[in-house]
Amino acid sequence: MIIDYPKPEQEQALRSLWREAFGDEEAFLDRFYTDGFAPDRCRCACIGDELAGALYWFDCSHQGKPLAYLYGVATAKAFRGKGVCRELMQNTHSLLKQLGYAGVILVPAEENLFSMYEKMGYTVCSYIASLSAVAGEPAAALRRLDVAEFCRLRAGMLPVDGVLQEGDGAHFLSTGADFYAGEDFLVTVAREEDFFPELLGNPTAAPQILAALGRKTGRFRTPGTEKAFAMFYPLEDLLPPAYFGLAFD
């Protein structure tokens, strides 16, 4: 098995692997490979001439130290059960440590993956709560934010020991979501469905946010203790962050 950064001619194979693993449509893949992908934040595992696995990451930080948010970890069906993912992850951990990252964070796509990552040394570090709401008056007074202002305000509203997600990650998020601030909250709004990837501040504002946006119902993710969400792997002596909220799902 050869593990390395991707070559330009491998993009179509990477797209095929992503479709096989996650089922996303071409519109999302176009957006990701235009605005989210960077060859120096991707690792590929190849067996012979075939792409067996891949993963990507975005930069984030905790307590002033750089973290890597692993994203899109996938193994081709033909190579599953052969240790490809474990070897790819181990190789990536070693590389990230050499590059100066203090830790790695990821969000398992399915419940059964938590145990797999636990066997690789990851521990749950962040929990969230899910809130379903129906629009209710009065409508909230919303102010739309650009990426820079969103990141600045979010840094001040994060729970204690929360992970900062800025730079390329925030830019990619902005290609599929909008950001708004209210009197006592900050909300991220997915454009294509009634889903709100993060609501910081006052969760009781959810019905008023829906009214302001002209939406009847919505599902909000907020900091909480209801559901295990993110996992952490230290690359140096660093305590796990207490909150990671913006997964690019």
Side-chain angles (χ1 to χ4, degrees):
M1 186 186 307
I2 296 176
I3 299 175
D4 204 347
Y5 294 110
K7 298 177 176 61
E9 61 268 23
Q10 287 182 300
E11 181 176 324
Q12 289 306 314
L14 286 167
R15 283 174 172 255
S16 296
L17 174 58
W18 192 295
R19 282 193 298 270
E20 180 186 82
F22 307 114
D24 288 307
E25 297 179 354
E26 287 302 314
F28 173 84
L29 292 173
D30 289 342
R31 181 161 62 86
F32 176 72
Y33 284 100
T34 299
D35 295 292
F37 170 74
D40 61 353
R41 290 187 281 102
C42 173
R43 297 293 277 175
C44 297
C46 294
I47 296 177
D49 294 328
E50 296 188 67
L51 180 67
L55 57 75
Y56 310 80
W57 69 87
F58 289 94
D59 293 342
C60 51
S61 65
H62 174 236
Q63 296 184 349
K65 295 189 175 185
L67 303 182
Y69 163 36
L70 287 196
Y71 181 60
V73 181
T75 303
K77 288 182 180 178
F79 296 100
R80 291 176 187 172
K82 302 179 185 297
V84 171
C85 182
R86 179 176 290 276
E87 191 167 338
L88 176 59
M89 293 285 282
Q90 290 174 342
N91 176 279
T92 301
H93 290 162
S94 297
L95 173 68
L96 292 172
K97 186 171 184 177
Q98 292 173 15
L99 292 174
Y101 289 86
V104 185
I105 199 159
L106 56 77
V107 176
E110 300 174 2
E111 289 293 329
N112 65 317
L113 294 178
F114 279 88
S115 60
M116 182 187 81
Y117 288 120
E118 283 178 356
K119 293 174 183 176
M120 295 183 189
Y122 283 79
T123 57
V124 174
C125 66
S126 177
Y127 290 78
I128 54 99
S130 296
L131 170 67
S132 295
V134 177
E137 299 295 334
L142 297 181
R143 178 166 61 91
R144 189 164 178 174
L145 309 172
D146 62 20
V147 175
E149 188 174 14
F150 167 72
C151 290
R152 180 179 64 81
L153 292 177
R154 185 173 183 270
M157 295 193 72
L158 277 174
V160 175
D161 276 344
V163 174
L164 289 174
Q165 294 174 257
E166 301 174 327
D168 291 336
H171 169 71
F172 175 59
L173 180 63
S174 74
T175 65
D178 298 313
F179 312 123
Y180 293 91
E183 181 180 358
D184 56 358
F185 63 82
L186 189 69
V187 64
T188 302
V189 184
R191 294 195 190 119
E192 298 180 358
E193 55 182 318
D194 289 335
F195 176 55
F196 298 74
E198 185 179 64
L199 172 58
L200 294 178
N202 178 15
T204 66
Q208 287 71 49
I209 293 170
L210 291 170
L213 294 172
R215 301 193 182 190
K216 294 181 179 179
T217 61
R219 297 177 293 112
F220 294 78
R221 237 171 11 212
T222 68
T225 59
E226 177 183 308
K227 180 181 178 183
F229 188 62
M231 304 186 79
F232 180 71
Y233 182 94
L235 296 174
E236 62 176 59
D237 187 14
L238 179 68
L239 291 175
Y243 174 74
F244 179 90
L246 285 172
F248 300 153
D249 49 5

